Amino acid sequence: MTVATAHSNIALVKYWGKRDTALNLPGAGSLSMALAALTTRTEVRRAPARESDHVVLDGSPASGAASQRVSRFLDLIRVAAGSDDAAEVVTTNDFPTAAGLASSASGFAALALAAVDAYGLDLSPDELSVLARRGSGSAARSIPGGWALMHAGEASDGRDAFARQIAPAEHWDLRCVVLITATGAKDVGSTAGMNRTMMSSPYYPAWIETVDVDLADAEPAVMARDFELLATVAERSCLRMHASAIAADPGVLYWNGQTVELIHRVRSARASGIPVFFTIDAGPHVKVFCEPSAVPAVRDMAADEVKDVIVSAPGGPARIEDA
Ligand code: DP6
């Protein structure tokens, strides 16, 4: 049996759209920070006596769709390893998946690492990131962890569409304060939301055109620990991503009233001198980045609008654990 752990991550320059859905190739690059407080632990055991894979997610057998997604991913590894052994997969998140927080990033990164080891493959870090991307685009960034840059790549087989660390977790001790504004799974998942945006939003091409400029600003902002510049780029990237989704047909609107209220509060806090900025993924929660000393101020400003708060430091790479 092999055990691997991986942290979730939050994009500061967003990934939203694909140039190839079969290979899950992103339409543009992205940049993220891994979240030490959001971790998936996955065990993979080869089970040659089983007819099919058995997947347990947070203590219960996975649903048909979730289990099929895992099996299709394991098929990639079985083909590469020349094995037709079924597997037993036990995966646990230490954060509430029901709140609609991204679990596919940490989930497919941990699964990729554990399954590659269990099936005896020897992959480089870049190859592992390429593999994790086949499970979920954002999972490619959870393999290197820390501050990670995902390359859109040019090759038609996707071999250059991987993420690498640009700086380790220790490089910049920021906090991501996850403000949970609703419970329950989201209506439109990220894969479906971005597909609808690609198919029907007149703003999708314009959105994709903005990403390289944002990456060219965000990478040096991270390297120089330039909070103001990163705040500007991250909010711009988030709002443009959501603008492209809102313009789809029918529009994909992930925000609730609390989301909008919190955007305003973060902006007015920044205007009054508190170093904070927001980003929002395919759901209604608001992720606020700040210095550790500003966490109490963020909690106070959000207290009456949120159901729960998770505070995370930057996290490290996906890794194999002792079984
Ligand atoms: C809004 O990685 O979940 O969180 O590749 O279809 O699995 P698939 O999509 P996924 O999309 C993440 C979208 C996002 C932005 C981001 O993490 O970059």
Side-chain angles (χ1 to χ4, degrees):
M1 180 181 82
T2 306
V3 183
T5 55
H7 299 301
S8 186
N9 70 78
I10 298 285
L12 298 162
V13 176
K14 300 294 186 196
Y15 150 55
W16 195 250
K18 307 173 198 249
R19 67 184 159 89
D20 181 313
T21 46
L23 292 174
N24 207 28
L25 294 171
S30 54
L31 187 146
S32 63
M33 186 187 96
L35 299 176
L38 273 65
T39 309
T40 300
R41 178 185 187 278
T42 299
E43 302 173 7
V44 177
R45 191 184 282 106
R46 279 165 79 160
R50 277 192 178 274
E51 295 237 316
S52 59
D53 299 321
H54 184 66
V55 181
V56 176
L57 180 55
D58 283 335
S60 310
S63 71
S67 166
Q68 269 173 27
R69 196 170 169 192
V70 169
S71 285
R72 278 202 306 271
F73 184 76
L74 290 173
D75 286 343
L76 301 171
I77 294 163
R78 283 189 274 256
V79 166
S83 164
D84 53 15
D85 287 357
E88 290 169 2
V89 176
V90 179
T91 185
T92 322
N93 294 312
D94 72 349
F95 54 93
T97 36
L101 287 176
S103 55
S104 67
S106 51
F108 278 101
L111 178 64
L113 195 54
V116 157
D117 188 80
Y119 282 86
L121 287 178
D122 186 21
L123 299 190
S124 70
D126 289 350
E127 288 168 334
L128 273 167
S129 178
V130 162
L131 175 66
R133 188 205 73 228
R134 298 286 299 271
S136 184
S138 51
R141 301 186 307 242
S142 282
I143 292 289
W147 298 86
L149 178 65
M150 174 79 197
H151 298 276
E154 288 173 0
S156 57
D157 67 357
R159 66 182 180 278
D160 54 357
F162 52 72
R164 279 186 187 162
Q165 252 196 33
I166 56 169
E170 307 73 48
H171 166 72
W172 197 1
D173 191 29
L174 289 189
R175 291 293 175 275
C176 176
V177 184
V178 183
L179 303 174
I180 297 174
T181 64
T183 48
K186 49 198 172 196
D187 299 338
V188 183
S190 43
T191 308
M194 72 175 81
N195 280 341
R196 197 191 297 170
T197 305
M198 286 152 57
M199 302 296 285
S200 67
S201 173
Y203 302 164
Y204 178 68
W207 146 251
I208 287 294
E209 269 178 35
T210 66
V211 179
D212 280 349
V213 176
D214 287 349
L215 288 173
D217 284 340
E219 185 176 1
V222 169
M223 297 319 292
R225 301 186 195 88
D226 183 336
F227 191 92
E228 272 301 311
L229 179 56
L230 191 60
T232 303
V233 181
E235 291 190 358
R236 183 171 84 198
S237 176
C238 164
L239 292 175
R240 286 174 175 169
M241 174 208 124
H242 284 275
S244 74
I246 289 168
D249 189 13
V252 182
L253 177 57
Y254 287 111
W255 304 348
N256 59 26
Q258 288 70 35
T259 318
V260 177
E261 177 60 24
L262 290 166
I263 290 174
H264 288 295
R265 289 191 194 177
V266 169
R267 289 191 148 178
S268 67
R270 189 156 81 254
S272 73
I274 305 175
V276 286
F277 67 84
F278 68 82
T279 186
I280 303 156
D281 293 309
H285 315 304
V286 178
K287 287 97 180 197
V288 180
F289 280 75
C290 64
E291 300 283 344
S293 60
V295 170
V298 175
R299 283 184 183 278
D300 284 355
M301 103 179 52
D304 61 331
E305 297 287 345
V306 298
K307 300 236 180 324
D308 202 359
V309 177
I310 300 173
V311 180
S312 184
R319 44 178 245 192
I320 300 278
E321 306 284 338
D322 293 335

